[in-house]
Amino acid sequence: MGPDHLGSYLAIAAALFTTGVLAVCTRRNAIGVLIGIELMLNAAALQFVAYGRFRAPLGDSIGQAAAVFVIVVAAAEAAVALALLFAVYRTLRDIDLERTRELAA
Amino acid sequence: MSETLMILAPELILTATLLAVLLSDAARWRSFAYLLALSGTLCALLASALAPRGTVGDQLAIDAWAALARPAILLSAVLLLMAARSLHDDDDGPAWAALLLALALGALVTAASAHLLPLWLGLELMSLSGYALAGWRAGSRRSAEAGMKYVLFGGAASALSLYGMSHLYGLAGRLDFAGIGAMLAVDQPLPVTAALLIASVGLAYKLTLVPFHYYAPDVYQGAPPLAVASVGTLPKIAAIAVLVRALSSAVPESLVSPASVSGLLALLATASLLVAALTAVVARDAQRIIAYSAIAHAGSMVLALAARPHSSATAAAAFYLAAYVPATIGALLALALLAPTAGRTALVELAGSGQRRPWTGVALVVCLASLAGLPPLAGFLAKWGVLRAALEVGLGAPERSVLLWAAGALLLSTAISAWAYLLIIRAVFFQPAPAQQTTATPPLPPGVAAVLALCVAATLALGLWLSGFAVLLHSLHP
């Protein structure tokens, strides 16, 4: 199995996730928020693979399977989100979250 | 192997239908898309009534709840497809039907999942099709904004939930509900509990529970009414079904303090009920009021699950869903028919629209009265069932007295939100229509009229058929 590098992988995943959360919370551009979401998803995928390699019992491949599923779903999500952002841009000529607000009580 | 095929027959039929609908677009048979989707969903409905119960590995489980939720999801999908068929052009057919079928498929997977991975995949399938449905009206600012908000908030909630799941996988070594439950039964280390809470954010988001509700008002206001009817009902059925399974297998009875789980649920329910009612009364848009109603009703259903030691608590949640789904679909369809300009449901714009279509207005009143919980409609019995379970459990055990507060919140929320529903009815029937409106009202499309009539009939029948609750209780606890 080699040396247990789980800690380093978890640290990288945590850093990716934190960066993603910060991007989601602070970016005003919708594309920036979307990139943040992708970072969060990939942090989770990395963590699945790391746990699957170092912690799961032998023969358990759920961790790897989960990572593959996450990659596919992230691609689908990016496609849907970009299509919607494109629709917003075509009607409003803007994707700044502060300036595209019409819906309110 | 063949037994697995039998158990999953509805999901497989729905997947085949989805592919056929997509091919019908490529083959330029657009006018057949809805017929294809409808017949496929009806076949799946039949299969879900006949399919045996059982489990597929440790990932999917067709238990009593899934066996009830699957026909409910497919029946709602049939109603929504019928309504869409008569409201939309044939050109839109393949895309809308495919998105709705994908939403229903995601709901089926979620409702049957006994493992966090299929649960997340089901939630994502529902989300991705829901985002596209919400942003359907290309060129409309409001629909586009609704779709954008939905996809950004939804993506963040789902990524957060997945991060929790990956920690749970590492810490517990298992992702199936039973495995997590077996581990929690021995010990409850804080990191595992925290990961479990983070992982459940995705479910709370789909249920629009406070504090994960913030997207709902904007999305429900801006999205097309049929999209709201779809994303407001199918995911709710699925989420409640999987929540019941998760609570009964991942949170074992031997847990040191089962009251704490029940208390957490009661707290979420109280917050949802009160926040929704207090913000609904200041809303001035009918679809926005329906959004707050969705939040409050999710609170009531979770309150029913918080009273879970009570024998009729889960049946109360099931009956609540049975009352909520037809009333919500009916109310949104009626609003779609009444709104003078498509996609505009501000109360000012609805003024006097009941005079154009009086019967649609009456259907709207019946559905809203059921959502408000007035007797003799289904919503009244549903609220009564939840209230009784919460009060009996809260009075029976002193450590569960938080349920009494939640029951009080349910009563208070019902009283306050009745005012919001009255605002819609006042605008539709008791305010003068704008004078310049002279265009003739087109006749009601027969498909929508049929669906509306079915929703009203279900709302009345469930309210008058007093033994319905007992039948439901028996099918959940044979």
Side-chain angles (χ1 to χ4, degrees), chain A residues 8-26:
Chain A
S8 355
Y9 285 103
L10 293 190
I12 296 173
L16 270 179
F17 187 78
T18 318
T19 317
V21 171
L22 284 178
V24 167
C25 294
T26 58

Side-chain angles (χ1 to χ4, degrees), chain B residues 122-283:
Chain B
L123 288 176
E124 276 297 296
L125 191 50
M126 289 197 289
S127 297
L128 290 180
S129 35
Y131 303 151
L133 287 175
W136 179 257
R137 233 180 251 123
S140 147
R141 295 175 61 124
R142 298 150 65 91
S143 180
E145 187 189 334
M148 180 173 74
K149 284 191 168 158
Y150 201 15
V151 76
L152 293 181
F153 286 136
S158 137
L160 185 64
S161 163
L162 188 75
Y163 189 70
M165 288 177 192
S166 69
H167 267 302
L168 204 56
Y169 174 62
L171 296 170
R174 304 277 294 272
L175 280 176
D176 56 315
F177 294 169
I180 296 170
M183 193 207 153
L184 284 179
V186 182
D187 186 21
Q188 299 96 39
L190 185 63
V192 176
T193 320
L196 193 60
L197 285 180
I198 295 177
S200 52
V201 165
L203 210 53
Y205 178 85
K206 273 278 157 257
L207 275 173
T208 59
L209 283 177
V210 171
F212 307 105
H213 70 291
Y214 40 74
Y215 74 98
D218 284 353
V219 171
Y220 280 43
Q221 184 185 352
L226 265 181
V228 178
S230 314
V231 300
T233 52
L234 301 184
K236 290 258 162 58
I237 306 177
I240 289 288
V242 76
L243 191 56
V244 172
R245 183 173 311 111
L247 284 176
S248 57
S249 52
V251 184
E253 293 295 317
S254 58
L255 206 64
V256 183
S257 55
S260 64
V261 175
S262 154
L264 180 67
L265 288 175
L267 199 66
L268 283 176
T270 311
S272 306
L273 284 163
L274 291 180
V275 168
L278 291 174
T279 38
V281 286
V282 295

Side-chain angles (χ1 to χ4, degrees), chain A residues 10 13-15 17 21 24 30 33-34 37 40-41 43-45 47-49 51-52 55-57 60-66 69-70 73-74 76-78 80-81 84-85 87-88 90-92 94-97 99-105, chain B residues 59 115 117 120-121 124 128 131-132 134-136 138-149 151-160 162-163 165-171 173 175 217-219 221-223 282-285 288 292 344:
Chain A
L10 293 190
F17 187 78
V21 171
V24 167
V33 177
L34 190 61
I37 293 171
M40 290 165 75
L41 282 173
Q47 200 152 277
F48 264 120
V49 177
Y51 276 130
R55 282 289 175 272
D60 177 11
S61 50
I62 281 287
Q64 279 92 322
F69 278 119
V70 173
V73 169
E77 181 148 344
V80 173
L84 281 166
L85 296 188
V88 170
R90 261 195 322 195
T91 46
L92 304 179
D94 202 353
I95 46 168
D96 187 306
L97 292 176
R99 288 198 296 266
T100 52
R101 300 180 59 172
E102 188 180 336
L103 301 170
Chain B
Q59 311 219 326
H115 189 282
L117 193 54
W120 186 72
L121 288 175
E124 276 297 296
L128 290 180
Y131 303 151
W136 179 257
S140 147
R141 295 175 61 124
R142 298 150 65 91
S143 180
E145 187 189 334
M148 180 173 74
K149 284 191 168 158
V151 76
L152 293 181
F153 286 136
S158 137
L160 185 64
L162 188 75
Y163 189 70
M165 288 177 192
S166 69
H167 267 302
L168 204 56
Y169 174 62
L171 296 170
L175 280 176
D218 284 353
V219 171
Q221 184 185 352
V282 295
R284 288 294 173 268
D285 182 284
R288 207 176 173 86
Y292 291 121
R344 294 268 169 179

Side-chain angles (χ1 to χ4, degrees), chain B residues 27-38:
Chain B
R28 309 257 166 235
W29 290 342
R30 293 201 171 138
S31 43
F32 292 108
Y34 277 123
L35 277 182
L36 209 57
L38 264 174

